[in-house]
Structure formats: structure tokens, C-alpha cells
Amino acid sequence: MEKLTIKDIARLADVSTATVSNYLNGNYSRMSEKTRKRLEDMIRETNYVPSSVARGLATNHNKTIGVSVADITNPFTSTVLSGIYDACGKLGYTVVFTNASSDSTREIDNVNKLKHQEVSGLIIDPVDAENAIFKTLSNDSTVMIDRQAAAVKIDSVVTDNYNAVNKFVGNMKKSGYIDEDLYFISWPLRNVSTRLERYRGFKTATGIKDDSHLILVDDSGDDQYFISQIKQIVDRKRSGKVGFFTMNGRVLLHLLKAMQALNYRYPDDVGIGSYEDLDWMEIIQPGISCIHQDSFNLGVTAVNTLVRKLEDEKTKHFVPQLIEVPTMIKMRGSY
Amino acid sequence: MEKLTIKDIARLADVSTATVSNYLNGNYSRMSEKTRKRLEDMIRETNYVPSSVARGLATNHNKTIGVSVADITNPFTSTVLSGIYDACGKLGYTVVFTNASSDSTREIDNVNKLKHQEVSGLIIDPVDAENAIFKTLSNDSTVMIDRQAAAVKIDSVVTDNYNAVNKFVGNMKKSGYIDEDLYFISWPLRNVSTRLERYRGFKTATGIKDDSHLILVDDSGDDQYFISQIKQIVDRKRSGKVGFFTMNGRVLLHLLKAMQALNYRYPDDVGIGSYEDLDWMEIIQPGISCIHQDSFNLGVTAVNTLVRKLEDEKTKHFVPQLIEVPTMIKMRGSY
DNA sequence: CTGTTAGCGCATTCAT
DNA sequence: ATGAATGCGCTAACAG
């Protein structure tokens, strides 16, 4: 199958390329009903599809959006990407994909590459929302996802981290946990907005002002120190039971590992709650009560707000907005 | 920042665009050492990057590869994609991403879109490897991943499903399980090569010829029938313990759910093994012994074999190959 | 309503 | 060693 060009179609339909071009772009008012039909048939018969590359060159707008994700391996991220792809498809956009593997340096490379790739717009799920590279981006053609910068200069689509945790931990209190025996477990905060916001929600709910109830873990090294902290907390509990809230699924995994090592069981020995809802959380015994986020919708929303900006010719220099996507609490009996 | 073109560089360096073009393409033999230096400096200073769109139009080879995955939400898939992206980056290729969401119809759309997108090559993680659409693709510019067609017409990079399961189940036998009490749990086979191959490995290991030891589940509906089957099998066991091998992580999740319902515990009441290694498998108590596949490497291998074909001008019409990536057995005490 | 023409940014002969 | 000219496939005035 040789590739047809607009010239071929023009010749076959006995019109000029300009007319074909107009047809392709829906400018039907600029041709007779007859030639329109003729082109319609011609194109269907020949299965002709215009070259998006050539079109991109001519219009400087190729209907592709560049995506940079922090870590595609994260189940949250892949669902977001799924939403992005779906929404793009519906709007006729192509997505070129980029992955930072949680490395801020690679994130910079990715954004630069994407900029030079001449994409129409950018969606970024940032490793580091404060990265200087983002200051080189215009809010007119980019939106951020999940993590927001302290000073939002670019539209950001995020989950309602603060409110969700505030409410969830509030529920824990209602079922008997006291402030002094509630703890927030997280990756090192490192100025990452999701962590900060969720923690802020925890602090509001418990009224704890200092960081004495903040426990940190990370993926590197063993968990010896972490395990000893958990033990100490449980040993010194003030009330009947300690309640832990983990910042996400992987942190929860660390907690479960530690509890295993210490031979603690939930919900009897301690109570557990978590941000993020992963498939295994409803299978293990008992299921984990958690905050479920609609990550697919996050992706869709990002695309829609981006494309709205891209295709809105008149108004430019939009004022940066923070768009919060609601979450859902799933009760499964882990506290 | 306005965008520079090859013309600007030519003017600034006081040479013709042809010379700049030659420089960009590494044809240094076609210019003096002096102008070469000049261009080098010029380009660095101005931070000029040639337009890949324009280049694509001119050369009809845009250094982008199109990827169609069956389901980006699958952790296996996202790791593969990660490998694909990494390898592409190293080779200077861009990836345009497409997701079928396990829908064979969408897969067709994706492939068509990609073909018309004028990508240089295609990597496909198929929903249905037997899809007729793949017969329209040339082996010279595409490779398949994970699932293979019965008659391999396109290079396919897969894990060594058959051998891995054969060996794993063999190990189960060595530790006491008898053929009659070993069962293979799977999604409906539906001609999906990974399922067929893994099942074949199971049959070879156990010597069971018929399908009496094949149990099917799926994600739709409740698991009542499945649960009753499990119960029946355990009730009628011939030896001390029944051993189950699940075809992948999600199937394992169904089994665990059923066992919970039946109040069975592993490794005491029954033994468990699985294909696929997910993070929660080493956390739950006890950990799940399984077959770990290097999915990242699968992606990398796919890209390398694809790009080798794309850039090998002389030989075309390669003979389709089946490339097997080795797996690893992780013992964790679930049987 | 329809056709002509001049680019878009780059690669590639063919001259010089 | 270097440059002028032409074309890749399409869009966008501008004519007619």
C-alpha cells in the first residue's frame, strides 16, 4: 500500500488541493454539495488519511500533547495515564509519553525534550513540583497533576488531600481513638504537596501542633529503626489502641511488614487507615479502610482543562487554578 | 523565546542552510574544520534544536515508535512500558502511547491510528495476538510483546512461560505434592498464548492429559461457583495437601479471597504458587512463592530488536523470531 | 464556489 | 568545501 497524498485525491476528484484541504478541515461552505460528495466518496474509497506530520508543519499545531509522569510503575500513575489517553482519544489528540522514574533530573530532560518535540500542550505529573524548569512553561499550554507547587503558577489537578484525611482521621476519632494515640506515617515530606497536605489534614483532625506524631519511612535500607519506633509507640499508648494512618499504599506495606515482625494484628492490637486504594487492600484479611481516589478522572480532568486552554483562541494568559477532584472513603474494618 | 530555524543558524554562521543541515546530520566531511566549529558554537549559544516535525516531513522517518499496550493499568504492563521508554530514550526515539483497555476493538483503532501517525516502528502488547489487524503489519517495522500469535509472523518478545511453570510445579512435586492434587487456576484460556503456555508447563510437570485440573475464574460476577469448586477439590484431596498454581497475580487474588471465605490457610491447609511477582506478595503473611518476570527487560528487549530492524537498511524481510526472556523463581513459603 | 501560490523547517541533489 | 534550488504534504491567504 503506497501512501496517497492530498495531491492524489485532488487529481482523482478533479479539484485543487486547496479544496481537498478545505474538505478535510470541515470548511464545507467553501465548496458545492456535489464536490463535497465526490471528495467524501473518494476519500472513503481510497482510505486516504492526511499526514499529520505535514499538517503539523503547516499549522504549527499538531494535536499531540506531551506527558511527563513521575513514575509509570506506580499504580496511581498508570491509572492517571489511562485517563489521559482516553480523554485525548476522544478529543482527537495523540499522546507522547515520557517517564521520569522518580528522578528530578530526568524530569528536566523530559520536559525539554517535549518542548522541542513541538507538542501542542503539556501534562506533567511532577517528581518535584518546585523544579525550576516549570517556570519556563506557560500556563497557556500546560497543566500539572497530583502534586502542586507552593505557589501555583500552572493549573494543577489534584485530589482533595487535606479534606479527605481530615475527614478520615475524624472518623477514626469518632470510633474511639484519641488524639494522643493517632500517628501519621509517611515518606519524608520533602516539600511534596501531597504529603504535606495529607499531613496537614491529619494535624487538623487531631489538633496536634508539633511533629511528634509524624513517623517517616523510605524504601531504601531496612526498616529496623522504623520497626522499633512502631513498637515504642504501641508500648507507650495512652488509651486502649493506637491508630496509624499511612500516606499511601507503599508506606502501608512497610507498616504491615513491621507489624508482622512485631507480631501485632489489626484491628485488635492497632488500628490502620491509609490513603490510596490498591486491589490487594480489599483481599487481605481484614481489608484496609482507606481513601480511594479517582485517578482515572484526574487524568481526564487534566486533559479537558488543558485542551480547553489550547483551543480557546481569544482568551490567553489564564489565571492559574487549583482543581480538586473528590475522593471516597472505603470502610473495610482495619480500625 | 522565539523559535529559531535552520535559516537563522545559517545566517548567523554565514553559511547556507545546506551546510547547517549537513552539520546536523554529522556529515562533517562536507565542510571545513572552521565552519564546523563555528556551527558548533552557534548552535550551542543559541540553544537551537531542529524541528523534528519538519525533519520528519523531509525524511519520512521521524524517530518515534508507536506503542499499543493491552492494559496500562496492569502492573506488568506499566513496567514493560517503563523499559520501552528507557530504551527508546537511549536510542533517541520518542514514544507515542496508546492503550487498548483490554478491548480488542480499541486495539484495532490504536494500531490504525499509529500507522497513520507515521511512526517509524510499532511495539504491540496485544489484547488478542490473533487479531487480523496484525496481518497488515510488516515484520520489518514492528515487534510484539508478551503474547504471541499461534503462527508467529512478527518478532515476539515473551517470557519463558512454559519452562518456568514446568520447573516451578516440578519443585512443588519435589516437596511432596502429588500430581492428582495439583491444580492450575487461570482466566479463561481464550487462545491467549501466555495462559496456554503456562498451562502447558503445568500439564507437562504433572503429566495430566485432560483438563480436569484446570480451574477458571474471571473478574466479572461473584466467585460463588469458583469458591465451591475450591472447596470440593480440597474436600476430595487424595494426599495430605492440595497445591494450587495461579496464572497471575489477579487470579491469585481471587484464590486468596476464596480461601478466606472458606477459612483455609496456606501453607497448612493448601499450598500456593503463582506466576507474576507483585509487591504485596512478599508482604502478606506468609509471602507467596512465585515466578518473577523481568518485565522491564521485556520492554528494553522489544525496543532493541525493533530499532535494530528499523536501522538496518540493507537486509529487510527478516524472518520472524520468538525471543524468550528468562524468569526467576522466588521462594517465600506459601507451599 | 474554486484554483493559484507561497510558505512551514528541513534534507538533498546538483552546481560551483 | 559550499550554496542554490527543489520538494516533503499540507494550510492559508489571495485571486478569480
Side-chain angles (χ1 to χ4, degrees):
Chain A
M1 32 175 72
E2 359 60 85
K3 45 210 85 167
L4 299 182
T5 77
I6 197 173
K7 261 185 209 159
D8 298 318
I9 303 299
R11 190 168 31 74
L12 290 173
D14 202 38
V15 295
S16 78
T17 64
T19 303
V20 180
S21 175
N22 278 325
Y23 174 86
L24 292 175
N25 293 299
N27 299 327
Y28 303 132
S29 62
R30 296 173 64 75
M31 69 195 71
S32 67
E33 180 72 9
K34 220 188 326 184
T35 66
R36 174 184 160 174
K37 283 272 188 234
R38 192 136 35 91
L39 284 173
E40 188 177 324
D41 294 342
M42 208 68 253
I43 289 179
R44 188 164 23 71
E45 284 174 26
T46 61
N47 229 306
Y48 164 75
V49 178
S51 157
S52 48
V53 181
R55 182 178 293 191
L57 219 210
T59 60
N60 199 29
H61 178 21
N62 51 12
K63 279 221 161 200
T64 90
I65 77 151
V67 176
S68 171
V69 303
D71 175 20
I72 185 55
T73 265
N74 186 322
F76 165 79
T77 305
S78 54
T79 307
V80 169
L81 184 57
S82 170
I84 291 179
Y85 176 70
D86 256 48
C88 278
K90 283 187 182 127
L91 297 170
Y93 279 73
T94 291
V95 5
V96 348
F97 165 82
T98 261
N99 178 32
S101 299
S102 301
D103 178 345
S104 181
T105 305
R106 298 190 58 175
E107 178 158 289
I108 298 178
D109 291 346
N110 289 159
V111 172
N112 278 327
K113 232 185 277 175
L114 254 18
K115 287 206 312 193
H116 293 310
Q117 200 71 25
E118 289 147 326
V119 295
S120 304
L122 243 42
I123 292 182
I124 298 174
D125 163 28
V127 172
D128 171 16
E130 309 293 350
N131 199 317
I133 184 82
F134 299 136
K135 291 181 179 143
T136 70
L137 301 178
S138 161
N139 183 44
D140 291 348
S141 61
T142 117
V143 359
M144 308 237 290
I145 283 203
D146 193 36
R147 295 176 180 177
Q148 57 190 275
V152 176
K153 300 283 196 227
I154 290 180
D155 289 343
S156 302
V157 181
V158 303
T159 54
D160 64 342
N161 298 290
Y162 172 80
N163 285 320
V165 176
N166 185 12
K167 183 169 173 194
F168 188 97
V169 175
N171 286 350
M172 290 183 81
K173 289 175 61 173
K174 279 183 201 149
S175 51
Y177 295 82
I178 67 171
D179 294 331
E180 291 75 19
D181 279 336
L182 252 10
Y183 289 82
F184 185 87
I185 312 182
S186 171
W187 299 135
L189 301 183
R190 294 231 177 83
N191 250 355
V192 175
S193 67
T194 46
R195 302 173 193 171
L196 294 173
E197 288 296 290
R198 290 169 199 179
Y199 182 40
R200 201 162 65 80
F202 174 86
K203 285 171 107 168
T204 303
T206 57
I208 297 172
K209 303 295 183 198
D210 60 20
D211 289 338
S212 58
H213 287 228
L214 170 64
I215 313 294
L216 304 178
V217 242
D218 61 71
D219 259 347
S220 66
D222 63 36
D223 284 353
Q224 283 315 316
Y225 179 64
F226 173 64
I227 292 175
S228 71
Q229 278 183 99
I230 299 296
K231 177 169 167 37
Q232 202 168 90
I233 287 170
V234 174
D235 285 346
R236 299 184 184 166
K237 65 183 172 205
R238 312 286 178 80
S239 63
K241 200 157 54 167
V242 171
F244 292 110
F245 182 85
T246 53
M247 195 219 69
N248 67 24
R250 280 200 70 83
V251 169
L252 171 59
L253 239 23
H254 280 269
L255 175 61
L256 292 178
K257 205 172 191 169
M259 288 183 48
Q260 218 172 271
L262 293 167
N263 213 357
Y264 293 162
R265 304 183 69 92
Y266 66 92
D268 300 327
D269 305 328
V270 308
I272 290 184
S274 183
Y275 210 95
E276 209 175 15
D277 186 14
L278 303 178
D279 51 8
W280 54 265
M281 291 189 192
E282 62 172 327
I283 295 301
I284 64 176
Q285 178 74 299
I288 304 288
S289 297
C290 65
I291 296 171
H292 175 96
Q293 45 189 341
D294 190 353
S295 7
F296 185 89
N297 188 22
L298 217 65
V300 173
T301 304
V303 171
N304 288 337
T305 84
L306 175 59
V307 171
R308 191 174 310 128
K309 294 195 288 187
L310 293 179
E311 298 185 348
D312 184 349
E313 287 306 327
K314 40 212 171 192
T315 324
K316 283 300 181 183
H317 302 303
F318 306 89
V319 17
Q321 300 217 280
L322 191 64
I323 301 163
E324 288 201 346
V325 171
T327 54
M328 232 174 82
I329 289 181
K330 300 265 187 187
M331 291 305 298
R332 297 203 259 251
S334 60
Y335 72 81
Chain B
M1 35 174 69
E2 359 61 82
K3 45 209 84 169
L4 300 182
T5 76
I6 199 173
K7 263 185 209 159
D8 298 318
I9 303 299
R11 191 167 30 72
L12 290 173
D14 201 39
V15 295
S16 79
T17 64
T19 304
V20 179
S21 175
N22 278 326
Y23 174 85
L24 291 175
N25 293 297
N27 300 328
Y28 303 131
S29 63
R30 299 173 62 76
M31 71 196 70
S32 66
E33 180 71 9
K34 220 183 336 184
T35 64
R36 176 186 158 172
K37 283 271 188 231
R38 193 138 34 91
L39 284 171
E40 187 178 326
D41 294 342
M42 209 66 251
I43 289 178
R44 188 164 22 72
E45 283 175 27
T46 60
N47 229 308
Y48 164 75
V49 178
S51 157
S52 46
V53 181
R55 182 178 289 187
L57 219 211
T59 61
N60 199 28
H61 177 25
N62 52 12
K63 276 219 161 203
T64 92
I65 75 152
V67 176
S68 170
V69 303
D71 175 19
I72 187 55
T73 265
N74 186 322
F76 165 79
T77 304
S78 53
T79 306
V80 169
L81 184 57
S82 170
I84 290 179
Y85 176 70
D86 257 48
C88 279
K90 283 187 183 129
L91 296 171
Y93 279 74
T94 291
V95 5
V96 349
F97 165 82
T98 261
N99 178 32
S101 299
S102 301
D103 178 344
S104 179
T105 305
R106 299 191 58 176
E107 178 159 287
I108 297 179
D109 291 347
N110 290 160
V111 171
N112 278 328
K113 233 186 277 175
L114 254 17
K115 288 205 312 191
H116 293 309
Q117 199 70 24
E118 289 147 325
V119 295
S120 304
L122 243 42
I123 292 182
I124 298 173
D125 163 27
V127 173
D128 172 15
E130 310 292 351
N131 200 317
I133 184 82
F134 299 136
K135 292 183 178 141
T136 70
L137 301 177
S138 160
N139 184 43
D140 290 349
S141 61
T142 117
V143 357
M144 307 239 288
I145 283 202
D146 194 34
R147 295 175 182 178
Q148 55 189 276
V152 176
K153 300 284 195 227
I154 291 180
D155 288 342
S156 303
V157 181
V158 302
T159 55
D160 63 342
N161 298 290
Y162 172 80
N163 285 319
V165 176
N166 184 13
K167 184 170 172 190
F168 189 96
V169 175
N171 286 349
M172 290 183 82
K173 288 176 62 175
K174 279 183 200 149
S175 52
Y177 294 82
I178 67 170
D179 295 331
E180 291 74 20
D181 279 337
L182 252 10
Y183 290 82
F184 185 87
I185 311 183
S186 170
W187 299 135
L189 302 184
R190 293 231 177 82
N191 249 356
V192 175
S193 67
T194 47
R195 301 172 193 170
L196 294 174
E197 288 295 292
R198 290 170 199 178
Y199 183 39
R200 202 161 63 80
F202 174 84
K203 284 172 108 168
T204 305
T206 57
I208 296 172
K209 303 296 182 198
D210 60 20
D211 289 339
S212 59
H213 286 228
L214 170 64
I215 313 294
L216 303 179
V217 242
D218 60 72
D219 259 347
S220 67
D222 64 35
D223 284 353
Q224 283 316 316
Y225 179 63
F226 174 63
I227 293 175
S228 71
Q229 278 183 99
I230 299 295
K231 178 168 166 34
Q232 201 167 92
I233 286 170
V234 173
D235 285 347
R236 299 184 185 167
K237 67 184 170 206
R238 312 287 178 81
S239 63
K241 202 160 51 167
V242 170
F244 291 110
F245 183 85
T246 53
M247 196 220 67
N248 69 22
R250 280 200 69 85
V251 170
L252 171 60
L253 239 24
H254 280 269
L255 175 61
L256 292 178
K257 206 171 190 168
M259 288 183 48
Q260 220 171 267
L262 294 168
N263 213 359
Y264 292 162
R265 305 182 69 90
Y266 67 92
D268 300 328
D269 305 328
V270 307
I272 290 184
S274 183
Y275 209 96
E276 207 174 20
D277 186 13
L278 303 176
D279 51 8
W280 55 265
M281 291 188 192
E282 62 171 328
I283 296 301
I284 65 176
Q285 179 71 300
I288 304 289
S289 297
C290 64
I291 294 170
H292 175 96
Q293 46 191 341
D294 189 353
S295 8
F296 185 88
N297 187 23
L298 217 65
V300 172
T301 303
V303 171
N304 288 336
T305 84
L306 175 59
V307 171
R308 190 174 312 127
K309 292 195 288 189
L310 293 179
E311 298 185 346
D312 184 349
E313 288 308 326
K314 40 209 171 193
T315 324
K316 284 297 181 186
H317 301 304
F318 305 89
V319 17
Q321 301 217 277
L322 190 64
I323 301 164
E324 289 201 346
V325 171
T327 54
M328 233 173 79
I329 289 182
K330 299 265 189 190
M331 290 305 298
R332 296 203 259 254
S334 59
Y335 73 82

